[in-house]
Amino acid sequence: MVAKWQIVVLFLCHSGHLKAEKTQVGYTPSVDCQSLPQAGYPFCDTSLPAGERASDLVSRLTLEELIAQTSSIAPAIPRLGINAYNWRSNCVHGWTASGGSWPPGLYWTVFPAPINLAATFDRYLVQQVAQITSDEGRGLHNVMLSRYNGSSTEAAGLNCFSPNVNLFRDPRWGRGQETFGEDPYIISVLGSAYTEGLQQGEDPQYLKVAACAKHFAVHSGPEELRLGFTAYATTHDLYDTYLPAFKSQVLAAKVAQIMPAYSGLKCAGIPEGAPDCANPFLLQSVLRGQFGAPNVSIISDNGGVGFVYSEQHYASTPEEAAVVSMDASTDLDLGYDVVYPTYLPEAVSDHLVDPATISDAIWRAFYLRMRVGDFDLPSMVSYQSINASHLNTPQNQLANLNAALESMVLLKNDGTLPLKSVGVAKVAILGPNANATTTLLSNYQGVPQFVVSVQEGITAALAGTGVEIASAPGCADVVCSDTSGFAEALSAAKGADYVVMVMGLDGTVESEGHDRVLTSCEGVAQDNLALPGCQTALVEQVAQLNPKVVLVLVNGGPVSIPSLLPNSGVVGIVEAFYPGAVGGTAVAHVLFGKYNPAGRMPVSTFESTADLLPSTNYNMSDPPGRTYRYFSGTPLIPFGYGLSYTTFKYSNIAVVPLAISPCQEVVVTVLVQNVGALPGDEVVQLYVKPPQIPDKPFFPKMQLLGVVRQSTDPSVSYNVAFNLSPYSMALVDEDGEHYIIPGEYVVYVGGGLPESSLEVATVSSAFSVEGSNVVNVKDCPNSPQSRSVSSGIKSARSEAAQTAVTTPDVRTSVAHHRSTEENLPSAAELEVCEQFSERLLAPFNFAKRTYTEDESLAGGAEGNEGSTAPHVGGAAVRSNWRLSRQLCYNAPSASNSTPCSFHPLKFTFKHPERQAFRGAKQTEKRGTSSGLLITNPLKKPSCIRMDRLSRDGPSQVVHYCGVVEEGYNKSEDEQREIAVVISAEGFFSTGLHNFAQATSRLEALLRYTFKDKLLLQVPSVLQHPSTFNLPLLFSLQCPVHSDQLGLLQLLSTHASQRLTYISKANTDSVVILTNTGLKLPTTDSHVHSTKMTDRTQFYVTGEPEWFPIADFVPGSDKFGFELSQACFCNELP
């Protein structure tokens, strides 16, 4: 019999065999727009905006047809060629199987639970997980569409009810495992990344999958009461804690759909309270009004509209429940026994509901379906070619393993970890979760081909070593109500070199429908937060017998282990949460040192329920306070905590400026160095402690405002910069408005929460906001203004149509740039700016690439309120641009004028015909070359930013800064060229996450070699050579000397790639770095080409009309560059 761990190895190593077994599945359109009469109707005209098409379709429906479409099982409309559509699908951490009629032999990826993804503190990884999830969701939809003749089936639609961006407010909540933790900032950042990953792909005309953020808005238990419970929230808590993640969903991530919670909300905006489905304050005033979301579809939770009557008793009849929910703006009624289709006809007849309101609701539903391409031919929608061969691929499983690895949190290590397999005779594996499989999948799981338990993962790691493995569960199940299994476990542990104990929770203890259950050990009740039943007693007895216990926790909500954390017999503790289908492999990799853990706790672990408020109390600041932002006590394990097998040192923190007036930004920089012996990730966290005002107890004690996860080799240091915008540092007052409060703000940067019970490396500084009056952020210059959205179908439809026509999506732009005509700085001004930047940045060896989340995500995307353009480019690029501008603008000058001004650059783009893209796979034929020439005819300080867009999301391609040097060995009239070449294949094989993670290794080598001559910031070299398939060609023109030829050896050794360094000594040379090895051509020709494996790449040595970009990106207008420029004041030290 073949063990599951062997299947994993075979699966990952023999991808070709697996793919060969997959077959293309025929596709049947869900809407027939080829037949008459509908072929001639505007709703089938693909040249029209989606809003206009939806308006035309709605205008052709009878009232009966409109009402029928309000059901989540939308019936077919045969006379218009429209098949049935089922709105019920989930994709919480991979596509959910529940409710689907799946054919046998169909498997797909089950990722770690969202609480695991939160523990990564890595938005790029979360986005990659969502991208793969949407790929597989599209594949499943297309498979099932063919199977059921064009009608979408349950669990296989083009929308999905994810992400869950509720706050994990109370650790007893059974659904906390579905969330991104307890911090509004992290939930906003990761939730937006997940939505972007689901919706965005290589085809900007369509959403890949329509995400649905849930459960709007104040919802986190108690589960047992959720159907009839009404939460009370202060206005402060509503806007400071509960709404930011949803605001980010709408404004930053552009979520397509929202699901209200079962529970109700009572607050100042609706003092009498109302169920969320029937809450006009939440749905109309906040969501559609304040957030500006007139076109977002709203669908109830399962049975939610009916519960307005039967559970909430807000309505006296089902008909009234239908009326108040529809009037509140709940568009669709999710459920099997729905209220809308049954009672809305009578309500319309009784003049209780305006038919136009129903028309509004169905317009939004069809608008969404058109945005996902449900009404268009498969040949027009590249995603419709995704099929079964895109499910469960080796690449997806590698990404799954990487997600599980990044989520592992090391809570304790006395030096025993990582474990050694050499010289070990016996290992014991104990605990009720040691051989668990389904438990690792959390809830809302898909159908994995295999699940690797922790015991199987360890067995695989020790295969062939001759180590004896003894095992025993010790408990019959996780409830572990008695000690009857202890003797067997103790016997297995006796004489073992070390004992791995896999304890924790499962769905019987925490789940949807019930919060953490009370358990007992031999009749003695256990604390609700503790390990269930006799589990703690089992660990204590084993540790006393054999003091070499490594504890692995498998759980969703945090578990309290106050007696085990300091127990000397417990030598190590790893928090694994619910790590998904390959979680056992990930745990083994961490235990045996194949992976250096760097996960962080996304929730606080409290010692006991005595530290908690009643679960029905939603007030965040009531003593002792909820979450790390308000808790006045000392948590057992703080939020943000996690260890590594290496050590990181923080130093040289700088805050600029140290004193600001309200509405100014602050830049924080810090130097981070790996001073340990192993490479590893560090999660750099920035916390701010705002002024503490006695009569404002609801202000948070401390809050997270920036996160960077960065990989670093031993002895390598790097700089991190954070921007603190006025909005991000503002505090929410009783009225829900954001104010900048005068006083001192203490800034902490380190590997975890400062001033906590467990020691973490941090450095601190402070800045002050001067003045005596508070300032509303809205009153700041250039502050985004609240949107005013009028109600009514005409407004919503016309806005959608206008947006589709007049608002360019920069993702579709082949060459998009901004050019500003301004006066150039004088020589004196420029010198002042250069001196200021050099003096400020020199101590930090400031790196061009900086990491910080866009402040638009922090606290609810306020920074993006005024923009209709989608996110393009990484946060690092945006932050760096803002940082450099801030440095230049803050430079002192005699005239107090801006020392560095913008000036125009010249852009020329060549864009020949390119090959189309097919689904998630490249066509056999590569794309043809395209090119771009960027020149600086005025030879002034300038910066070029180019953001590459692919199906893996936006990614920084090049960030170039420099000044034309005196004595440049060219003629006076010759223009300066800069360029970069990256093949499309690399983006498709690696994903955005790898680009965000691995810059520092190559950057450090380049900086070491070129020193002050380096003018080009290289985006990345991948950490995992096995997934590296990216020819990099960077061209920078600066003097390079023969003594720098040692770069070849450095790159080959540290980057594990065949990277070739080519230069002409003592000239203004072209430097080419590529893993395929180009030869430097002669300089008597303008454009040269050299054959590289199966493709040709081009580069420039003369003065061409354009600079080619080889293998640009196949697919017409599906990708592009964004180009911008700014003065960087020659800031490189």
Side-chain angles (χ1 to χ4, degrees), residues 615-636:
S615 59
T616 54
N617 186 337
Y618 274 73
N619 193 309
M620 297 299 294
S621 57
D622 276 359
R626 290 196 181 276
T627 75
Y628 81 91
R629 299 172 75 229
Y630 294 98
F631 185 56
S632 58
T634 302
L636 182 68

Side-chain angles (χ1 to χ4, degrees), residues 936-969:
N936 185 359
L938 297 176
K939 295 183 166 67
K940 295 291 183 178
S942 62
C943 170
I944 300 299
R945 166 184 133 196
M946 301 199 309
D947 296 335
R948 169 66 176 297
L949 302 164
S950 75
R951 67 177 300 279
D952 288 318
S955 170
Q956 178 182 357
V957 172
V958 62
H959 205 181
Y960 174 90
C961 231
V963 186
V964 177
E965 299 178 9
E966 292 297 327
Y968 214 71
N969 190 19

Side-chain angles (χ1 to χ4, degrees), residues 192-210:
S192 294
Y194 199 84
T195 292
E196 290 170 352
L198 290 176
Q199 295 191 159
Q200 297 176 5
E202 78 274 7
D203 193 336
Q205 185 174 348
Y206 302 103
L207 301 179
K208 193 174 4 163
V209 166

Side-chain angles (χ1 to χ4, degrees), residues 789-1070:
V789 182
S790 57
S791 59
I793 193 70
K794 290 184 180 179
S795 173
R797 292 179 188 173
S798 62
E799 179 175 324
Q802 183 180 11
T803 299
V805 173
T806 63
T807 302
D809 188 334
V810 292
R811 287 176 294 170
T812 67
S813 176
V814 175
H816 173 77
H817 68 274
R818 295 185 296 272
S819 181
T820 305
E821 296 285 351
E822 294 187 18
N823 294 327
L824 295 175
S826 66
E829 289 174 329
L830 187 58
E831 182 179 1
V832 168
C833 184
E834 290 175 357
Q835 291 175 353
F836 173 79
S837 295
E838 184 172 350
R839 184 173 68 253
L840 176 68
L841 297 173
F844 309 109
N845 188 26
F846 183 74
K848 274 273 183 292
R849 187 169 189 269
T850 58
Y851 293 81
T852 182
E853 298 305 334
D854 191 342
E855 72 272 18
S856 65
L857 295 178
E862 185 78 18
N864 259 14
E865 276 196 3
S867 174
T868 57
H871 282 297
V872 175
V877 181
R878 292 191 296 272
S879 168
N880 192 49
W881 185 81
R882 287 196 306 270
L883 170 63
S884 301
R885 186 176 61 177
Q886 178 79 14
L887 294 175
C888 293
Y889 284 5
N890 287 342
S893 63
S895 63
N896 291 323
S897 62
T898 300
C900 291
S901 303
F902 292 100
H903 63 279
L905 298 174
K906 179 181 178 182
F907 302 94
T908 308
F909 193 84
K910 180 177 179 180
H911 177 46
E913 182 180 355
R914 293 174 287 176
Q915 299 297 317
F917 200 80
R918 295 290 179 259
K921 300 294 180 183
Q922 284 184 275
T923 54
E924 196 169 313
K925 185 175 179 181
R926 304 290 181 186
T928 55
S929 297
S930 301
L932 174 69
L933 172 64
I934 308 169
T935 60
N936 185 359
L938 297 176
K939 295 183 166 67
K940 295 291 183 178
S942 62
C943 170
I944 300 299
R945 166 184 133 196
M946 301 199 309
D947 296 335
R948 169 66 176 297
L949 302 164
S950 75
R951 67 177 300 279
D952 288 318
S955 170
Q956 178 182 357
V957 172
V958 62
H959 205 181
Y960 174 90
C961 231
V963 186
V964 177
E965 299 178 9
E966 292 297 327
Y968 214 71
N969 190 19
K970 288 191 176 183
S971 61
E972 284 293 329
D973 59 348
E974 186 171 7
Q975 297 176 337
R976 175 178 178 82
E977 308 97 18
I978 60 173
V980 61
V981 178
I982 293 185
S983 81
E985 181 180 2
F987 282 92
F988 285 82
S989 64
T990 62
L992 179 62
H993 166 64
N994 290 324
F995 285 89
Q997 283 287 308
T999 301
S1000 62
R1001 179 176 302 174
L1002 183 57
E1003 176 197 329
L1005 296 171
L1006 288 172
R1007 286 192 173 279
Y1008 173 79
T1009 304
F1010 288 104
K1011 296 183 172 59
D1012 60 339
K1013 299 300 183 183
L1014 179 63
L1015 299 178
L1016 176 65
Q1017 174 62 47
V1018 180
S1020 77
V1021 164
L1022 300 183
Q1023 298 174 29
H1024 309 294
S1026 61
T1027 63
F1028 187 92
N1029 192 17
L1030 175 61
L1032 298 172
L1033 174 58
F1034 300 102
S1035 170
L1036 74 96
Q1037 294 177 324
C1038 61
V1040 179
H1041 302 282
S1042 57
D1043 60 356
Q1044 295 166 337
L1045 290 174
L1047 179 63
L1048 172 59
Q1049 181 179 358
L1050 285 170
L1051 292 174
S1052 298
T1053 302
H1054 293 277
S1056 302
Q1057 301 298 326
R1058 293 187 299 107
L1059 296 172
T1060 304
Y1061 170 95
I1062 306 149
S1063 75
K1064 294 187 300 177
N1066 302 312
T1067 65
D1068 94 312
S1069 59
V1070 176

